[in-house]
Amino acid sequence: MPPGAGSVIVVVATDAPLLPGQCKALARRVTLGLARTGTTGSHFSGDLFLAFSTANPSALTSTFPENDGSAPYESMRFVPWGRMDPFYGAVVESVEEAVLNVLTGAEPMTGRAGHHVPALPLDRVTELLAARGAVS
């Protein structure tokens, strides 16, 4: 497998009342969080980003219309498009944090055919960050 041929799957879940298009907009922000960690992706990566909202569980029921005198319209609450920026920022920050958690929590492992992957040397990372003034 060529270098960088791994894939990333990110699922963004929220209880904020969002429309399907707004969830799609959140999923598009995942790449910004990944980029903050230094990845650029590759031709061979099969990345998949999904976003969904658990709000409005009874909206958009798509039931067959009844002639029972019930209201002909459904209603649903959603965040106005002009107020989506905090949600975009939250996606970027949470994806970045998730990647950093995986990198710093990983342990060395040996897989099939003796392929060995070392853990990230956290003491060296701390030393490099301190040298740049990023940590004290």
Side-chain angles (χ1 to χ4, degrees), residues 37 93-103:
T37 65
E93 290 178 20
S94 63
V95 169
E96 177 187 24
E97 182 73 19
V99 171
L100 295 175
N101 286 342
V102 168
L103 290 174

Side-chain angles (χ1 to χ4, degrees), residues 63-73:
T63 59
F64 190 78
E66 299 284 335
N67 290 329
D68 60 2
S70 61
Y73 302 105

Side-chain angles (χ1 to χ4, degrees), residues 77-132:
R77 294 173 47 92
F78 62 93
V79 174
W81 278 98
R83 297 188 180 186
M84 287 295 294
D85 285 353
F87 296 95
Y88 300 150
V91 168
V92 173
E93 290 178 20
S94 63
V95 169
E96 177 187 24
E97 182 73 19
V99 171
L100 295 175
N101 286 342
V102 168
L103 290 174
T104 59
E107 296 184 10
M109 64 176 275
T110 302
R112 188 175 73 81
H115 294 286
H116 181 74
V117 178
L120 189 64
L122 298 181
D123 54 343
R124 180 71 178 132
V125 171
T126 304
E127 180 183 309
L128 290 169
L129 289 173
R132 292 187 61 194

Side-chain angles (χ1 to χ4, degrees), residues 3-102:
S7 298
V8 176
I9 299 173
V10 177
V11 178
V12 177
T14 181
D15 62 354
L18 301 179
L19 298 169
Q22 291 171 318
C23 290
K24 185 176 180 179
L26 289 184
R28 286 194 309 258
R29 288 348 189 253
V30 168
T31 54
L32 298 172
L34 292 172
R36 281 187 174 186
T37 65
T39 184
T40 59
S42 77
H43 174 71
F44 294 102
S45 61
D47 304 330
L48 178 65
F49 311 135
L50 304 170
F52 67 92
S53 169
T54 61
N56 296 311
S58 61
L60 301 175
T61 57
S62 298
T63 59
F64 190 78
E66 299 284 335
N67 290 329
D68 60 2
S70 61
Y73 302 105
E74 291 183 345
S75 63
M76 146 173 119
R77 294 173 47 92
F78 62 93
V79 174
W81 278 98
R83 297 188 180 186
M84 287 295 294
D85 285 353
F87 296 95
Y88 300 150
V91 168
V92 173
E93 290 178 20
S94 63
V95 169
E96 177 187 24
E97 182 73 19
V99 171
L100 295 175
N101 286 342
V102 168

